[in-house]
Amino acid sequence: MTSRRKFMTILGGGVIVAAGGIGAWAATRDPAAGREPWQAAKALQAGTSSDPRIFALSHAILAPNPHNRQPWVAELSTPGEITLYFDTARRLPETDPYDRQLTIGLGCFIEVLAMAAAEIGHRAEVTLFPDGEPQPVLDDRPVARIRLVADDTVPRDPLFAQVFARHTNREAYDIARPVSAQTLDGIAGAARTARIAHATGAEDVVALRALSWSAMEIELRTRRTMKESVDLMRIGKAEIEANPDGISLGGPLMEGLSLLGMMNREEMLDPSSTMFSRSMAAQKVQFDTAMAFLWLTTPGNTRADQIAAGRDHVRMHLAVTGAGLALQPFSQALQEYDEMTGKYGDMRTALGIGENETLQMFVRLGYGPDTKPAPRWPLETRIRSA
């Protein structure tokens, strides 16, 4: 059993001084097995698979999605066709009660799939919700039927080159490096249907930092919404590799604290605890180092609008990556539960969202350190029989 004497921890400063064999132990704590699907997709060579659907799906499962829930399931019973379903066991009922954000994640999946198909000379013909749009939540009906049709004339998308470099970056951004409006104007051009706007001016950025943090505080201090995140935390290598989804807290610091009983989940939920206050302080750094903001709106809020928002969001994220920037969604003020209603209205007002528009995504930007890919379930776990 590892003893407390093995560690001297300064939480918040993020320092662990290792003693004895702990340094060697720390070097083994990378949950690399959880990232194997990224390597598997990289290893695929265009045209080498007898089934183009495998190439397309291997890349699609790398798409961004809320809380890394990976809510997609593919059925391949019809040759040349993919029927995409929502995995109803992967809901976020407290923070995403109408499955809007998860639907956006499915849109990201569809867009990356279509890009990958084009790389191997196939056109993705997408029919959304062929059995009707499920409301008020997603159900067992298909989200999309996607036919892959061989077509040598289909253009390759230059954004596809960023698929393996695109990662959500939750680290502190460089506050000495501003983000130019001109750069973001170019990124906004990646969207096909959604309206993308941005804020880069110092006064606007400071105001949006404060507003988005106040929304985050509501989520953290509302027990049921905070518990939803805490329940999805995977702390340390073993937990991450066993369940490569949810919120990964990897590395020797987090795992060491967990082994010492200092990452107690119940204390994470207790606003009076030291763990809660330190966690708050650690997360606020993300907000304090936001150097610009982008947001994405659609003219409506149908399921098709949400899918379109997801397709444009991942395109935007890939363009952000290509520009050398880092991105992290700040979704708290956009969430549709009672305690967030006031902040939802405040955010719409601050961003000048029109009466008939839906604010679908709001993200922070800046220049950040390199980060590793988020864990993913292997493709075979995301395919089901008819």
Side-chain angles (χ1 to χ4, degrees):
M1 177 68 71
T2 304
S3 72
R4 291 179 183 267
R5 293 182 181 179
K6 293 290 186 179
F7 290 89
M8 181 173 70
T9 306
I10 306 174
L11 189 62
V15 177
I16 285 184
V17 179
I22 300 301
W25 170 85
T28 69
R29 306 330 296 159
D30 180 34
R35 297 192 298 272
E36 285 182 358
W38 292 84
Q39 300 305 318
K42 281 183 181 180
L44 290 175
Q45 298 297 316
T48 58
S49 173
S50 60
D51 190 340
R53 296 176 298 178
I54 299 303
F55 184 90
L57 287 168
S58 294
H59 292 81
I61 62 171
L62 309 180
N65 60 101
H67 270 19
N68 198 26
R69 295 301 284 143
Q70 303 167 57
W72 36 70
V73 178
E75 181 188 302
L76 306 180
S77 58
T78 301
E81 184 174 289
I82 299 166
T83 303
L84 176 64
Y85 291 92
F86 171 66
D87 186 341
T88 57
R90 295 179 176 272
R91 284 203 162 95
L92 297 167
E94 302 300 340
T95 57
D96 189 22
Y98 305 112
D99 298 333
R100 180 188 62 83
Q101 295 176 87
L102 289 164
T103 304
I104 289 172
L106 291 164
C108 295
F109 178 96
I110 290 170
E111 181 64 19
V112 177
L113 187 151
M115 287 182 177
E119 287 292 304
I120 52 174
H122 283 72
R123 183 177 69 257
E125 296 181 346
V126 181
T127 301
L128 293 177
F129 302 102
D131 296 341
E133 285 197 359
Q135 295 288 356
V137 297
L138 297 176
D139 56 26
D140 292 328
R141 284 175 286 179
V143 172
R145 288 203 176 96
I146 306 166
R147 291 185 63 235
L148 297 189
V149 180
D151 181 356
D152 291 337
T153 69
V154 65
R156 295 184 176 186
D157 196 314
L159 291 175
F160 184 77
Q162 303 301 328
V163 164
F164 295 116
R166 182 219 60 79
H167 311 308
T168 298
N169 192 321
R170 296 177 175 82
E171 302 298 322
Y173 296 167
D174 187 346
I175 60 173
R177 296 186 67 185
V179 177
S180 76
Q182 183 178 8
T183 297
L184 299 191
D185 285 339
I187 288 168
R192 290 195 175 115
T193 61
R195 180 175 75 86
I196 293 180
H198 58 74
T200 57
E203 186 175 338
D204 290 338
V205 167
V206 168
L208 290 172
R209 285 175 181 171
L211 178 54
S212 55
W213 173 247
S214 65
M216 183 64 168
E217 281 194 288
I218 291 173
E219 180 173 313
L220 294 175
R221 294 183 181 278
T222 302
R223 184 178 175 87
R224 71 178 194 284
T225 56
M226 179 59 171
K227 188 174 187 300
E228 186 168 78
S229 292
V230 170
D231 287 347
L232 291 171
M233 289 179 181
R234 319 301 187 204
I235 304 173
K237 178 178 179 178
E239 287 190 15
I240 294 170
E241 292 186 342
N243 289 284
D245 58 15
I247 302 169
S248 298
L249 301 178
L253 171 61
M254 293 300 180
E255 190 161 352
L257 293 174
S258 179
L259 286 171
L260 297 173
M262 299 171 70
M263 287 286 287
N264 182 285
R265 285 176 165 84
E266 190 57 36
E267 287 189 5
M268 292 179 187
L269 295 170
D270 180 3
S272 67
S273 73
T274 300
M275 174 59 69
F276 186 92
S277 62
R278 286 174 173 169
S279 176
M280 288 268 288
Q283 291 195 64
K284 193 171 186 298
V285 171
Q286 299 170 349
F287 294 78
D288 291 343
T289 63
M291 297 302 292
F293 293 94
L294 273 175
W295 56 94
L296 183 155
T297 64
T298 57
N301 196 30
T302 65
R303 293 296 181 198
D305 288 323
Q306 294 163 10
I307 292 288
R311 297 188 71 161
D312 277 343
H313 169 65
V314 73
R315 295 182 62 78
M316 177 182 76
H317 197 166
L318 292 168
V320 164
T321 303
L325 287 163
L327 177 153
Q328 179 186 7
F330 277 178
S331 300
Q332 290 74 31
L334 284 60
Q335 294 171 160
E336 302 109 323
Y337 58 92
D338 290 345
E339 291 86 347
M340 197 61 73
T341 301
K343 294 302 176 186
Y344 181 88
D346 291 345
M347 182 64 80
R348 288 178 59 89
T349 299
L351 301 181
I353 306 302
E355 185 176 336
N356 296 319
E357 288 183 299
T358 300
L359 177 60
Q360 301 284 10
M361 292 296 302
F362 177 73
V363 306
R364 72 156 178 152
L365 298 166
Y367 292 93
D370 291 339
T371 58
K372 292 181 178 179
R376 286 292 187 272
W377 286 101
L379 176 59
E380 58 268 23
T381 70
R382 304 287 83 210
I383 296 175
R384 77 179 191 192
S385 302

